[in-house]
Amino acid sequence: YPALKELTLSLATEIFMGGAEGSSDQEMQEVNRAFIGCVQAATAIVRYPLPGSRWRKGIQGRKRLEAFFRRYLPARRAAEDNDIFSVFCHVESEDGERFSDDDVVNHMIFLMMAAHDTSTITLSTAMQYLGQYPEWQQRCREESEAPGTATPGFAQLDDLTALDLVIKECQRLVTPVPGVVRRAGADTEILGHFIPKGTLVNVGVHYSHHMAELWPDPERFDPERFAPERREDRIHPHAWTPFGGGVHRCLGQH
């Protein structure tokens, strides 16, 4: 997991920032730890910065990330490059409005976190299960070697059906974003509990991915459950939702 997280953060930094010029390996490790602290703080029960608590590490991590991105803001404001950091700095509305520095920093922290953290969780989970189920490991290996290239195009990626089944099952078993926070749009009732309009609710995606009412033998690693002839995920519109559902489905799902 730490090695994969280092790899995905490096890729995200290059792709979305255009690189992190002047940053040492030690600083990037600190940034990596800051991202981990922010992610883990989301599940903190005690939301007060007590020493050693998840919440405190999240607050400290957030400050570290803000300082990191603010350091690169002047250069991205000065040069109009193709990376998303630069685009955020220069994009304008029809009325000529631009993102403030705070807006850009907020967008970059969220984008970088979403881009590399979920990928790290999915990849490390896949490596675990492929190690435990060598028959699937061999099937995916043969399929991946069949195109004869280390850099497949999108059309070739569509042919990796076994790998797709494995990834979907891994995202079900260990959901990268286990809960999605929403606000009730109207007074409602859930399982006999009254939920007033405006109440924040957490949709337990990881929980629904393990419900026996939806998934036969839910704790078993079974990628074939997503195969065309079975499609157990179609039992309910929101049975399998590692990328959320409805109009707010994740842009990065593919």
Side-chain angles (χ1 to χ4, degrees):
Y1 176 83
L4 282 170
K5 193 159 183 64
E6 184 176 333
L7 171 65
T8 55
L9 178 60
S10 175
L11 288 169
T13 301
E14 190 65 35
I15 293 168
F16 297 117
M17 286 184 61
E21 61 274 12
S23 292
S24 64
D25 290 341
Q26 180 179 350
E27 181 177 17
M28 292 310 296
Q29 289 176 7
E30 292 175 0
V31 170
N32 208 348
R33 287 194 293 270
F35 273 118
I36 293 173
C38 286
V39 171
Q40 292 183 345
T43 58
I45 296 176
V46 178
R47 305 214 159 193
Y48 188 81
L50 297 173
S53 67
R54 283 191 171 195
W55 196 250
R56 182 181 178 87
K57 290 179 181 178
I59 291 175
Q60 292 173 332
R62 172 74 192 197
K63 290 179 180 178
R64 182 70 184 84
L65 294 176
E66 288 179 359
F68 175 73
F69 287 111
R70 285 187 188 281
R71 198 175 83 214
Y72 291 96
L73 263 173
R76 298 304 186 272
R77 291 284 193 197
E80 197 164 350
D81 293 323
N82 291 326
D83 60 272
I84 296 181
F85 198 171
S86 297
V87 171
F88 282 153
C89 289
H90 295 277
V91 68
E92 290 186 358
S93 70
E94 293 179 354
D95 298 325
E97 295 175 309
R98 286 191 173 191
F99 286 135
S100 68
D101 286 356
D102 287 344
D103 290 333
V104 173
V105 169
N106 287 334
H107 278 306
M108 285 304 299
I109 290 176
F110 179 78
L111 177 68
M112 292 281 285
M113 187 178 298
H116 87 281
D117 193 72
T118 52
S119 299
T120 303
I121 294 169
T122 301
L123 286 170
S124 55
T125 303
M127 291 183 72
Q128 173 193 334
Y129 280 104
L130 288 177
Q132 293 173 336
Y133 294 86
E135 67 277 13
W136 276 98
Q137 180 182 150
Q138 186 60 28
R139 182 173 166 181
C140 290
R141 178 180 290 110
E142 292 173 357
E143 182 182 79
S144 298
E145 290 177 345
T149 175
T151 55
F154 285 112
Q156 290 169 309
L157 289 174
D158 287 339
D159 293 332
L160 304 182
T161 54
L163 185 60
D164 193 45
L165 296 177
V166 167
I167 293 298
K168 286 181 176 178
E169 178 69 336
C170 287
Q171 290 175 327
R172 182 189 71 83
L173 285 165
V174 183
T175 312
V177 180
V180 180
V181 177
R182 291 289 183 264
R183 192 182 297 277
D187 289 350
T188 188
E189 186 177 290
I190 301 175
L191 298 177
H193 296 278
F194 175 64
I195 310 295
K197 177 182 178 180
T199 302
L200 281 174
V201 293
N202 181 47
V203 182
V205 179
H206 182 84
Y207 175 78
S208 61
H209 283 181
H210 289 259
M211 289 175 65
E213 302 95 308
L214 301 175
W215 305 94
D217 199 1
E219 302 307 318
R220 182 164 63 95
F221 176 74
D222 182 14
E224 292 284 2
R225 67 173 81 240
F226 291 94
E229 61 274 14
R230 288 174 61 182
R231 290 305 304 265
E232 294 176 6
D233 56 306
R234 288 184 174 176
I235 190 173
H236 188 281
H238 298 292
W240 185 77
T241 52
F243 299 99
V247 296
H248 291 290
R249 283 176 66 88
C250 178
L251 289 171
Q253 60 184 320
H254 297 295

